[in-house]
């Protein structure tokens, strides 16, 4: 079968890219960002760059946007910023995911109408939408070049996955200089999210030689870069390499979606409060073992990074995570062996779990 690859996001990459935001935004602009952005001078900088075109600001995005917070923000946004044609998301994955939810308008103006459509699990055309431009301030989520947004409901212990044609960003603006202030913990967590994206796109039923090319390059850069960046956070070269690696990982899974490690991560985040980047990466050595031997072509691709010895490959990946301060056993997070087995079985049945090359045999 011929390989097919599609990504409609125009990408701008390099230090100082943020300075070109005025050229990319059309009409009135709403900025969606995180609370620390003001202290870092980012809101004033965007205001200076956009001038009178900046018409609305949401600057209180929290990690893992939850429906309890998002409901009021969404409805207020469509009441007060309906004349904004562009939403500019500046921040990590949570800011970009929030912006993706905000740009999808409902006929009634009520956020719960969107939740009902998502819960139905069927494709739909939104009643109205806006253009999204995304500028990540962390190197990890890949949300700037993918259409997916995760919306959490902590009270109901569930999550929604938003994915529409309009939730592809029109432009991804990746400026590594925006990442220089990211602390070590977030640098590691987001970097491991990118590593997971790249690996998950390889042990995936939807993989192809084009996505593999992006994934392999991302994995090699992250394995080399991330431990050194953890020790040298102000290193512009390492920040740039990690930003590019995260972008490449995002490009890879933009066509394959994620797989088993991410499916497991949702339960670990909802039920055990684990940050997403850790939740989706601590099982990577385990999932590598479950993937190995399932598909000869996928084995050859993985062996380009890890060699031909499974035990050695798992050891290398486990030691890499330990070096970054990440524990790699379910028991380290208060999950018993029986609970872990049940969680893996449940994750295999999820939409992302079914992408995993070992899912049919599990």
């Amino acid at each position: 079968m011929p390989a097919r690859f599609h990504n409609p996001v125009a990408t701008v990459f390099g230090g100082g890219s943020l300075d070109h935001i005025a050229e990319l935004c059309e009409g009135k602009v709403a900025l969606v960002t995180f609370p620390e952005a003001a202290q870092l001078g980012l809101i004033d900088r965007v205001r200076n760059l956009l001038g009178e075109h900046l018409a609305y600001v949401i600057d209180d995005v929290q990690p893992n946007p939850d429906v309890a917070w998002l409901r009021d923000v969404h409805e207020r946004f469509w009441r007060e910023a309906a004349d904004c044609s562009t939403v500019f998301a500046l921040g990590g994955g949570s800011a970009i995911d929030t912006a993706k939810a905000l740009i999808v308008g409902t006929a009634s103006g009520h956020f719960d109408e969107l939740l009902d459509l998502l819960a139905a699990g069927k494709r739909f055309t939104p009643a109205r939408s806006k253009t999204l431009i995304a500028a990540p301030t962390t190197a990890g989520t890949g949300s700037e070049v993918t259409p997916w947004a995760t919306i959490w409901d902590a009270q109901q212990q569930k999550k929604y996955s938003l994915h529409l044609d309009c939730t592809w960003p029109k432009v991804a603006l990746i400026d590594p200089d925006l990442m220089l202030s990211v602390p070590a913990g977030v640098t590691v967590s987001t970097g491991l999210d990118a590593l997971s994206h790249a690996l998950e796109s390889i042990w995936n039923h939807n993989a192809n030689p084009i996505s593999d090319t992006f994934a392999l390059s991302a994995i090699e850069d992250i394995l080399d870069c991330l431990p050194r960046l953890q020790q040298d956070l102000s290193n512009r070269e390492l920040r740039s390499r990690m930003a590019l690696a995260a972008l490449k990982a995002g490009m890879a899974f933009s066509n394959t979606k994620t797989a088993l490690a991410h499916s497991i991560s949702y339960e670990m985040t909802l039920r055990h409060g684990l940050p997403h980047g850790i939740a989706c990466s601590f099982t990577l050595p385990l999932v590598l073992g479950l993937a190995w031997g399932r598909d000869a072509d996928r084995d050859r691709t993985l062996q380009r990074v890890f060699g031909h010895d499974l035990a050695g490959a798992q050891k290398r990946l486990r030691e890499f995570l330990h070096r970054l301060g990440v524990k790699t056993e379910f028991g380290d997070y208060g999950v018993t062996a029986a609970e872990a087995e049940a969680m893996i079985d449940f994750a295999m049945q999820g939409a992302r779990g079914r992408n995993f090359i070992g899912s049919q045999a599990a």
Side-chain angles (χ1 to χ4, degrees), residues 80-199:
E80 299 176 357
D83 59 343
C84 289
S85 54
T86 301
V87 172
F88 177 41
L90 176 66
S94 293
I96 300 175
D97 280 6
T98 296
K100 287 177 180 177
L102 290 179
I103 67 171
V104 181
T106 62
S108 65
H110 296 302
F111 179 69
D112 285 345
E113 181 184 338
L114 175 58
L115 292 184
D116 289 342
L117 289 167
L118 294 176
K122 299 178 181 178
R123 298 283 293 175
F124 64 92
T125 300
R128 45 191 175 158
S129 63
K130 299 181 184 295
T131 298
L132 175 63
I133 293 177
T137 56
T138 61
T141 72
S143 191
E144 70 276 6
V145 289
T146 64
W148 300 292
T150 299
I151 299 171
W152 302 87
D153 187 338
Q155 183 176 4
Q156 299 296 323
Q157 288 286 286
K158 63 192 295 187
K159 76 169 191 69
Y160 300 90
S161 183
L162 175 63
H163 172 204
L164 301 170
D165 289 342
C166 70
T167 54
W168 285 98
K170 180 182 179 182
V171 181
L173 192 157
I174 298 99
D175 186 341
D177 290 348
L178 296 174
M179 304 169 189
L180 288 168
S181 62
V182 178
V186 178
T187 297
V188 168
S189 180
T190 54
L192 290 177
D193 191 17
L195 178 63
S196 181
H197 292 152
L199 285 167

Side-chain angles (χ1 to χ4, degrees), residues 205 258-260 263 347-359:
H205 287 302
T258 52
L260 180 59
S263 192
M348 285 279 193
Q349 310 308 316
R352 295 298 183 258
R354 292 193 298 272
N355 293 332
F356 179 59
I357 57 174
S359 60

Side-chain angles (χ1 to χ4, degrees), residues 7-349:
N7 191 296
V9 184
T11 302
V12 180
F13 179 89
S17 295
L18 182 64
D19 293 338
H20 298 276
I21 187 62
E23 306 163 18
L24 305 172
C25 291
E26 297 179 355
K28 291 185 178 180
V29 180
L31 171 65
V32 177
T33 191
F34 55 104
E36 295 82 5
Q39 182 180 350
L40 294 169
L42 291 176
I43 295 178
D44 285 343
R45 186 176 170 191
V46 171
R47 184 173 284 114
N48 290 335
L49 289 167
L50 293 179
E52 62 184 10
H53 293 287
L54 181 60
Y56 198 78
V57 176
I58 296 172
D59 62 357
D60 57 347
V61 173
Q62 300 297 317
N64 300 328
D66 191 275
V67 296
W69 172 81
L70 197 53
R71 180 178 288 106
D72 178 63
V73 174
H74 186 278
E75 294 179 1
R76 182 159 28 94
F77 169 76
W78 280 96
R79 287 196 309 268
E80 299 176 357
D83 59 343
C84 289
S85 54
T86 301
V87 172
F88 177 41
L90 176 66
S94 293
I96 300 175
D97 280 6
T98 296
K100 287 177 180 177
L102 290 179
I103 67 171
V104 181
T106 62
S108 65
H110 296 302
F111 179 69
D112 285 345
E113 181 184 338
L114 175 58
L115 292 184
D116 289 342
L117 289 167
L118 294 176
K122 299 178 181 178
R123 298 283 293 175
F124 64 92
T125 300
R128 45 191 175 158
S129 63
K130 299 181 184 295
T131 298
L132 175 63
I133 293 177
T137 56
T138 61
T141 72
S143 191
E144 70 276 6
V145 289
T146 64
W148 300 292
T150 299
I151 299 171
W152 302 87
D153 187 338
Q155 183 176 4
Q156 299 296 323
Q157 288 286 286
K158 63 192 295 187
K159 76 169 191 69
Y160 300 90
S161 183
L162 175 63
H163 172 204
L164 301 170
D165 289 342
C166 70
T167 54
W168 285 98
K170 180 182 179 182
V171 181
L173 192 157
I174 298 99
D175 186 341
D177 290 348
L178 296 174
M179 304 169 189
L180 288 168
S181 62
V182 178
V186 178
T187 297
V188 168
S189 180
T190 54
L192 290 177
D193 191 17
L195 178 63
S196 181
H197 292 152
L199 285 167
E200 295 258 87
S201 72
I202 292 176
W203 52 55
N204 198 303
H205 287 302
N206 304 310
N208 64 60
I210 304 171
S211 60
D212 283 349
T213 299
F214 284 113
L216 288 168
S217 182
I219 293 166
E220 290 170 352
D221 279 347
I222 294 167
L223 291 178
D224 175 58
C225 258
L226 190 53
R228 293 196 286 140
L229 180 57
Q230 184 188 36
Q231 303 302 319
D232 190 7
L233 295 172
S234 62
N235 189 308
R236 289 178 180 270
E237 179 187 356
L238 293 176
R239 286 289 186 189
S240 185
R241 286 185 64 193
M242 274 302 302
L244 185 57
L247 172 62
K248 289 184 285 192
M251 294 294 285
F253 92 98
S254 74
N255 276 245
T256 66
K257 304 179 184 178
T258 52
L260 180 59
H262 268 72
S263 192
I264 294 170
S265 80
Y266 302 135
E267 290 292 299
M268 291 298 295
T269 295
L270 278 170
R271 305 190 188 286
H272 297 274
L274 214 56
H276 176 69
I278 307 303
C280 68
S281 63
F282 86 95
T283 60
L284 290 177
L286 169 67
V287 178
L288 175 63
L290 296 175
W292 201 280
R294 300 291 187 179
D295 181 288
D297 178 65
R298 299 296 82 208
D299 282 354
R300 284 190 292 270
T301 302
L302 290 167
Q303 287 162 5
R304 289 172 62 181
V305 176
F306 295 108
H308 293 268
D309 175 50
L310 171 59
Q314 289 179 294
K315 182 173 184 283
R316 179 185 174 190
L317 195 49
R318 193 174 292 112
E319 289 178 347
F320 170 80
L321 291 165
H322 291 171
R323 181 180 174 189
L324 294 169
V326 176
K327 298 176 180 179
T328 54
E329 304 299 328
F330 278 98
D332 296 326
Y333 302 98
V335 180
T336 67
E339 289 170 337
E341 184 177 356
M343 191 180 296
I344 293 169
D345 288 343
F346 179 75
M348 285 279 193
Q349 310 308 316

